Amino acid sequence: MFHSVDHFCGPPLDALQQIHVSSVLGTPHLDAVLQHSAWPTVEPTCVSRCASQRLSRCAIRCTAQRAIPCMTRRTSDGGPPTTRRVPVPHRPAPSDPRRAAFRRGPADGGAAPAGRAAPRTPLPREPRSGYNPPPPPPSAAVSPCPPPPRLSLPRRRATMAHGGPRGGGGAAAAAAAAGGGRSRRASPAAAAGRERVSLLSTSFVLKGDASHNQAMVHWTGENSSVILILTKYYHTDMGKVLESSLWRSSDFGTLYTKLNLQPGIATVIDNFYICPTNKKKIILVSSSHNDRDQSLFISTDEGATFQKQPITFFVETLLFHPKEEDKVLAYTKEGKVYVSIDLGKKWVLLQERVSKDHIFWAVAGVDGDPDLVHMEIQDPSGGYRYITCQIQNCSDKTMTVQFAGGTDRDSLTVQDDYIFLQTTSANRTKYYVSYRRNGFVQMKLPKYALPKDLQIISTDENQVFVAVQEWYQTDTYNLYQSDPQGIYYSILLENVRSTKQPEENVLIDILEVRGVKGVFLANQKIDGKVATLITYNKGRDWDFLNPPDIDMNGKPTNCKPPDCYLHLHLRWADNPYVSGTVHTKDTAPGLIMGAGNLGSQLVEYKEEMYITSDCGKTWRQVFEEEHHILYLDHGGVIVAIKDTSIPLKILKFSIDEGQTWSTHNFTSTSVFVDGLLSEPGDETLVMTVFGHISYRSDWELVKVDFRPSFSRECTEDDYESWELTNLQGDRCIMGQQRSFRKRKISSWCIKGRSFTSALTSKVCECANSDFLCDYGFERSAPLKSQSSKCFADFWFNPEAPPEDCVLGQAYTSSSGYRKVVSNVCEGGVDLQQNLAQHLCPLIAPKGLQISIRGESLAVKPGEDITFVVRQEQGDILNTKYQVDLGDGFKAIYVNLTMTGEPIRHRYENPGIYRVSVKAENVAGHDESVVFVQVNSPLQALNLEVVPVIGRNQEVNLTAIILPKNPNLTVFYWWIGNNLQPLLTLDSFLVTRFAVTGDVRVTVQASCGNSMLQDSKVVHVFDHFHVLPLKFTKHLDMYNPDIPEWREDIGRVVTRLLAKETNIPEETLMTVVKPGLPTTADLHVLLPANQPKRKRSVNSDKRIAAIKQALNAHNISFFLRGGYWVLVTLADSDSDSQRIGGGSGYWAIVVLFVICLVAVGAFILYKFKRKLPGRNVYAQMHNEKEQEMTSPVNHSEDTQNIIQGEEFIDDDLDSQTLGNARVTPSGRSGNLNSYRVPLLLMPVSVQSQAITQAWF
């Protein structure tokens, strides 16, 4: 998804600085925090992370994370930045914040790293005096706790005061003595200058605002002395502002006045917004305590007076027009956009269902109409589209859809000359770009980059920088550079480190050095090691940073390449409040100051401060610990305050580009420093230190004025020049030699607002270093400074015509090189010369696709659908397209894919239709086919299943759907607790249940976009008896054949039988069968708590009772129409044929056993007559019981048959048949030698007698 540095949020103007100060009200002591006490504004997870780190700052910073962080962006016209909320995805989500990739350093040199901007940095308050935090673990590579926040807050500065001054600072000499500051040896002139330093410090307190935990500061700047400060108490759990105060100063912060917008009425200000083109115009957003309404307070005189304006909607963000000061857009919490052309006095609804943070005013010089608005909206079908419309009329009829087809949510980005969006289909994402509002073209990355994510880095100077996370990367991105149209991309640097943040934000370690075009810093991660690289020619060549020879104390560093380099922190590891930023400035070219370390790789917890004044060629160490940096007077004064968890009253400053440092006591009482603020543009010598004395104290602002120390403005004699060179000493960079001027170290003067740093430039002859690899080519050694050859990738054919080549036109095959954009060299080497010109041949169509708008291939009968035909490659003008929609409609089109004309159609009848499009020209043809399912949505689903079944018996599960859609419905079957369904195209499933008990069967029927579900419970038993039932014919007349009716009939019959026979109703279940005539099965279940050996007798009694009731015609119920329905046995002769778990052959087994008994009796009778001893033995036992021995072996098959009978005991020794006992005997071997005739018996009589005995 596209994620750009342009993100809008909060007060959107250059003169706005939002500071999130996490002042915890009534906070318990920090030792209580270690015990996980109830700290209402700190999450337990944050506290646990801080246990081993700098607890005091870390715990509070976790609170600050819960506030809304904002990012800044540079406006398209190069003016001051506006702001946008960091988007969140969606994945990114949506109104949910997304990822930010990169931003330039702020104007004061406080260059924030990728995805974060210093002007929106929350400033957590430090702990009270006396707390000594534990040091960080030396072995930790990545901190589990958010590192300290950056306190340098450029561009928009603030001072705070109330109640008058509280004291002043002393002279520099006294400050140095008191503070014990370290300074390097300076020249005599510089030393004499420091003796003349006289700083004026004044402290002010905002009384009554100790409970407020957030502040927003607006310093108008541009020769204005007005400062506005909004402090507020933001309740994190409630998600709203409960209290606020608005302060105003008109003398650079010397005195402040608390404004009362509505006398006698408590007013809560949520936010305020400043017009970027006229900073005197301010809009405050106010909410009532009950959140029922909102109001705006509008000022046109820098907050001297305000006019209340009620509104009928709830503002979430305001967006001023970048050129016309009275035009404002308002985005509401409901996704609506309102517009006002009179500075918020009247509002008109512009559009609904708009994606948050994806609203853009027209870009001056690119969009022809300044009243044009770019928006991403959600259409009624749930998809997203990119539209434009004028603020005067933005109805559905007047808005313009700029991209054919839907787009991904939160993908629209309008930035400078370019518009970006993306689409995802079949798990593949395509990225599109429009250059200067021309048609959208797919961005051409290397063929097998297969990006997982894409971040817009920069769109300056008619070129796009993107960071792409390719398919094999997890915590790194590759940096690419485009041609001027933003279409073709070549790789610049691989494996740039990235870090995922909360809400799926991504920070990428890329920083553009301000003041010198073409210079970037990046952190590359290879094999787990991070190293800092610098480029002077927009990524064509990269080099490591040269380490200093000596440290700040003059001792050798013993850091020698290639084993040791200087590495800088360019981003925060886990959150926007981590230290390590690099400071650059537009008006101080070559001056870079940042935190890092010397070594073979970047170490997370080493934050020594280094400075360079020649744009990275040579570096000096200035501090051993991290400091917060602020540039004043175009870098003529550098202010540093130590980043520590204890209160401070000393600041350090340098007037010679960091070569020497002095100290100053800016206050008599130590304060916890929350931030350093200065006038926007940092062109003056006035700054403020923003902080507090203790947790419960009011906010305090100390104004430090360097102006008394400088008695005059600089003249030309006070400046000297320096030439820009790269690390190899080359002066021709980006095709020219550039020289800049800077103040001499011996001069003691003010540069002033009119100071310009650029001095001269001279065009150079072109060299190999002025060319980079073209699309489809890569260098053999991308990190080497010397020239290296570009080679074509295996998938790229340089001689092949481009995809948009039109017959009759000419194209130039690539030599593998192209000139770096913005490079102004002339003559010399030309790696693009002698390029062969070719005429575009007729290219066969390739990559033809036909799809339905909305990506759904299942539609309803009569629904209007739109087919879209696309062609990736090949000729379009001379190609015919034959379209067959499968229902008889056929047509031939010309230029179908070029015009983008959709094909609209409607299918009236359900079915499957084969839709095809064939593109054909003289060079060849291509075809695309799609199958469209036209079906009515499912209306009803019923699962038909026998509720009682025997274990391991086959059962048929049947799903009945309405309407019936043969071959178009997929059935998902879930048996029991199995999470893996069985899929069938048939509406039935045959299965078995191996375990007794209740089993839930669930079926889902899916047809097109509709899906229904039904579920039934099946009772699985080892033993039960089934009696077929029938009803009198009158019931068929009123049988609607629906499940509910059958269930009601079954319940009535069960209830009547239970009442008539006194059999427990839970052991009876009547199941009425579907269809006509109406029949049913009565399931007689065995009581679960009854012993197995006693079931047969009880079942016999119950069956007899049921048969008696049915045969006596005692079971009947009343039916409409005056009929009584009689329930009887369906077949009295066969009612015993179905017993239990599915063995229907028990009667045969019974007959077989009877035959065995008869044969055994006959043999025994004959045997006794021949063997008297045997006869005597039989006579001895005749009084007890007659023993019958079967001549048949009890084979395994016979055993299985007997065990299948539900009411016969498994132990054959104890099976009773009437008055006889079957006992296996070892004497059967003797008996088998006799031949006996088959004994014929009256089968029907014997069968009935034995059956009665079993039950």
Side-chain angles (χ1 to χ4, degrees), residues 442-449 480-483 486-491 772-778 790-793 795-803 813-819 832 873:
Q442 184 176 350
M443 299 167 62
K444 302 298 181 182
L445 294 167
K447 185 174 182 179
Y448 295 105
Y480 286 87
Q481 183 188 68
S482 78
D483 61 351
I487 299 175
Y488 294 96
Y489 290 81
S490 302
I491 192 165
L772 52 76
C773 294
D774 201 356
Y775 171 76
F777 292 80
E778 291 189 30
C790 296
F791 297 90
D793 286 313
W795 51 266
F796 182 72
N797 181 8
E799 302 298 328
E803 296 176 0
S813 59
S814 175
S815 65
Y817 302 89
R818 72 181 182 209
K819 196 173 181 180
Q832 294 178 300
Q873 301 177 19

Side-chain angles (χ1 to χ4, degrees), residues 718-729:
D718 294 310
Y719 297 105
E720 61 182 1
S721 64
W722 66 277
E723 290 189 354
L724 176 67
T725 63
N726 59 18
L727 300 189
Q728 287 73 37

Side-chain angles (χ1 to χ4, degrees), residues 647-700:
L648 298 173
K649 59 180 178 180
I650 297 175
L651 62 79
K652 305 172 186 178
F653 66 94
S654 173
I655 62 171
D656 52 12
E657 297 178 338
Q659 295 191 26
T660 60
W661 292 85
S662 302
T663 57
H664 168 66
N665 283 0
F666 61 88
T667 180
S668 58
T669 303
S670 298
V671 298
F672 295 99
V673 176
D674 294 324
L676 305 180
L677 312 173
S678 70
E679 181 183 1
D682 304 323
E683 298 172 349
T684 67
L685 289 168
V686 180
M687 62 164 290
T688 59
V689 180
F690 182 34
H692 61 284
I693 298 177
S694 66
Y695 277 126
R696 294 181 174 86
S697 67
D698 294 308
W699 290 28
E700 183 167 351

